[in-house]
Amino acid sequence: MSLFSIFNVAGSAMSAQAQRLNVVASNLANADSATSANGQVYKAKQVVFSAMPVNGAEATGVKVDQVVEDKSLPRLMYDPKSPLADAKGYVTMPNVNVVEEMVNMISASRSYQTNVDTMNAAKSMLQKTLTIGQ
């Protein structure tokens, strides 16, 4: 594997983690909203990663294969005064688990930072290589 492939692999991982962070941010932003833009209850979304070849078959990167809706049941919150409450007084809320989303956010940001560190290490090695002959 070429040293330059490291930039492609780390770049693909950074792009995938950035998309994961966007999905987490969307989930957190809608965690307490009873309705979404389409009038339905918001459903949490998760990203699915897959491997992708980088520079032929030499290296393997990662990409977001798809963004899927979480299949867990929505939360029911008792609020009989809400105009969105059903006959029993429950309001259907999004199935976003804030604690899980925060863990996903920390994981994605640390993965992103690790790839930045990898790229910086590769850059330093290339710079040192250029100074060998001097």
Side-chain angles (χ1 to χ4, degrees):
M1 180 165 67
S2 164
L3 191 57
F4 293 107
S5 296
I6 293 172
F7 293 109
N8 293 331
V9 171
S12 71
M14 289 171 59
S15 175
Q17 293 300 333
Q19 289 182 353
R20 181 179 174 197
L21 281 171
N22 284 337
V23 168
V24 168
S26 176
N27 288 341
L28 288 173
N30 289 296
D32 289 329
S33 56
T35 59
S36 63
N38 61 6
Q40 301 293 319
V41 176
Y42 179 81
K43 294 181 181 174
K45 296 177 177 48
Q46 303 294 328
V47 294
V48 177
F49 293 135
S50 67
M52 69 173 197
V54 175
N55 290 344
E58 229 175 54
T60 303
V62 65
K63 69 175 182 177
V64 173
D65 194 33
Q66 59 182 336
V67 177
V68 297
E69 288 186 349
D70 190 344
K71 301 289 184 196
S72 62
L73 296 174
R75 293 180 293 134
L76 294 177
M77 184 176 75
Y78 185 70
D79 186 9
K81 294 180 182 176
S82 173
L84 299 173
D86 61 7
K88 295 179 182 176
Y90 287 97
V91 177
T92 305
M93 299 296 288
N95 58 351
V96 176
N97 184 332
V98 175
V99 175
E100 287 179 9
E101 295 301 327
M102 292 300 289
V103 170
N104 277 339
M105 183 177 67
I106 291 169
S107 173
S109 65
R110 287 189 179 170
S111 178
Y112 191 92
Q113 182 61 44
T114 301
N115 284 294
V116 169
D117 292 344
T118 301
M119 290 179 83
N120 283 333
K123 185 180 81 175
S124 295
M125 286 192 291
L126 285 172
Q127 287 175 334
K128 293 284 185 186
T129 303
L130 290 174
T131 60
I132 286 176
Q134 297 177 351

